[in-house]
Amino acid sequence: MQNLLPEPPATLLPAHDEAEAALDAAEKAGGDEAFTQVAADHPTFSAGWAALAARAFAAGQVVTAYAYARTGYHRGLDQLRRSGWKGHGPVPWSHEPNRGFLRCLYVLSRTADAIGEADEAARCAQFLRDCDPAAADALASN
């Protein structure tokens, strides 16, 4: 059976140039404090939370990574809704400002799995694929 309803339009989050510049500076500095400061100065910026989550996960701090990823995920959901997202539809990886939210969703899936939350891990992995299969593929290949 063919779906006759049109797919909702892609949701494109707005750019946050100041926060992106701060994240770039933190990546150059390389210290945890620099990344923490990005999140403190720009708490609605999911990419800052995603960076913290990825660093914590790589350091074996799974619960901390889970908390960072969940924070960035919820901040991203808020932004998606403000941008017209109705709870479904594409959130393209190709649009750079969407990547922070999508990275948080990816790390949230991985950390949920690591702490034994298999249902949440599967839901987050499916949600990421539903947002954009290219995001799931790109993040899994890193």
Side-chain angles (χ1 to χ4, degrees):
M1 185 185 314
Q2 181 181 14
N3 183 358
L4 299 176
L5 296 174
E7 177 78 16
T11 302
L12 305 177
L13 293 176
H16 195 321
D17 295 336
E18 184 180 334
E20 281 291 343
L23 185 57
D24 288 345
E27 288 170 357
K28 288 179 182 134
D32 287 340
E33 293 95 23
F35 288 93
T36 302
Q37 194 62 52
V38 172
D41 291 345
H42 308 282
T44 63
F45 181 57
S46 290
W49 293 106
L52 282 169
R55 290 174 65 83
F57 191 70
Q61 300 169 350
V62 178
V63 172
T64 300
Y66 178 88
Y68 287 145
R70 180 155 289 290
T71 300
Y73 164 77
H74 281 289
R75 298 314 288 260
L77 284 176
D78 293 343
Q79 288 186 352
L80 285 169
R81 288 181 187 115
R82 280 194 299 274
S83 295
W85 187 73
K86 302 292 187 210
H88 65 284
V91 180
W93 173 256
S94 61
H95 183 66
E96 188 74 32
N98 289 351
R99 290 185 179 187
F101 168 74
L102 296 168
R103 283 186 172 108
C104 284
L105 189 51
Y106 173 73
V107 177
L108 186 56
S109 176
R110 293 188 68 204
T111 56
D113 184 58
I115 63 172
E117 290 285 334
D119 289 345
E120 181 180 23
R123 275 192 310 274
C124 290
Q126 186 60 54
F127 185 16
L128 178 62
R129 190 151 291 286
D130 291 346
C131 285
D132 188 348
D137 294 344
L139 291 164
S141 70
N142 285 339

